[in-house]
Amino acid sequence: MNLLRLIALAALAIASTYAQAHVQGGVWHTHGLRAGLLHPLTGLDHLLAMLAVGIWSVRQSATLRLPLGFLAVMLLGVLTGVAGLSIPALETGIALTVALLGVLLAAALRLPPALAAGMLATFAILHGNAHGHELPQVASTLGLMLSSAGLIVGGRVLGRKLPLVAVKWAGAAIAATGTMLLALA
């Protein structure tokens, strides 16, 4: 991937604002398929987390099980949100997942499979729970899951195509963004 495309991708990610993931009313909370598909693409926290899960999973030993497990547990998290379970400090937890995923990428850390799976499962519950509160209908959940899967696949493609140094720089940028989101949470 050439530098111009990488810069364009970063600009698109930055153009998506944190607050857009939680706008009340309007198209974002109509609870249809379109809202579910667009939601992960318009919230910086979810967008970066899904891309980071994909990128990071490529360099782990349980490479394909991690993103598949993440999506399955995220769906369980959605169901907890739909059921009304509130997780204290949820937005802080979500911002922390972005920062930690960025650190994992920046440091090129490989974790034992069980630890990696447990950590990603925790992150997935948080992201899923928040979206279960925001998009509780079946159609919006389907859109959310499809869009999230697409972002993770996109991250996996980036993880395979980018040189390690670019992955580390992307991780540092994601970690910095996660830290900024923590300050806003």
Side-chain angles (χ1 to χ4, degrees):
M1 175 177 280
N2 67 31
L3 184 59
L4 184 58
R5 285 186 185 166
L6 186 59
I7 291 169
L9 179 64
L12 287 172
I14 292 168
S16 170
T17 65
Y18 174 70
Q20 285 177 320
H22 307 285
V23 174
Q24 299 298 315
V27 69
W28 309 113
H29 288 273
T30 59
H31 306 300
L33 180 64
R34 181 174 182 251
L37 286 167
L38 291 175
H39 197 78
L41 302 173
T42 59
L44 191 56
D45 51 356
H46 195 78
L47 178 85
L48 292 178
M50 297 306 105
L51 287 172
V53 165
I55 295 168
W56 187 68
S57 70
V58 168
R59 300 188 191 278
Q60 301 305 303
S61 59
T63 181
L64 195 52
R65 286 184 296 211
L66 289 174
L68 293 175
F70 182 92
L71 289 168
V73 176
M74 190 173 82
L75 181 57
L76 291 175
V78 168
L79 296 176
T80 67
V82 170
L85 175 69
S86 293
I87 298 175
L90 183 60
E91 291 300 323
T92 301
I94 289 171
L96 188 58
T97 69
V98 176
L100 291 174
L101 284 164
V103 168
L104 290 170
L105 288 172
L109 288 177
R110 290 186 58 137
L111 297 179
L115 180 59
M119 181 192 65
L120 287 185
T122 302
F123 294 178
I125 286 287
L126 295 173
H127 283 270
N129 181 267
H131 290 91
H133 287 289
E134 296 166 353
L135 300 166
Q137 302 300 318
V138 172
S140 56
T141 297
L142 176 62
L144 167 76
M145 297 305 294
L146 288 171
S147 192
S148 296
L151 287 169
I152 290 172
V153 168
R156 289 182 58 79
V157 169
L158 288 173
R160 285 191 179 101
K161 299 288 184 185
L162 293 175
L164 182 58
V165 68
V167 169
K168 287 182 173 189
W169 278 103
I174 291 170
T177 304
T179 302
M180 177 201 68
L181 295 175
L182 273 169
L184 297 173

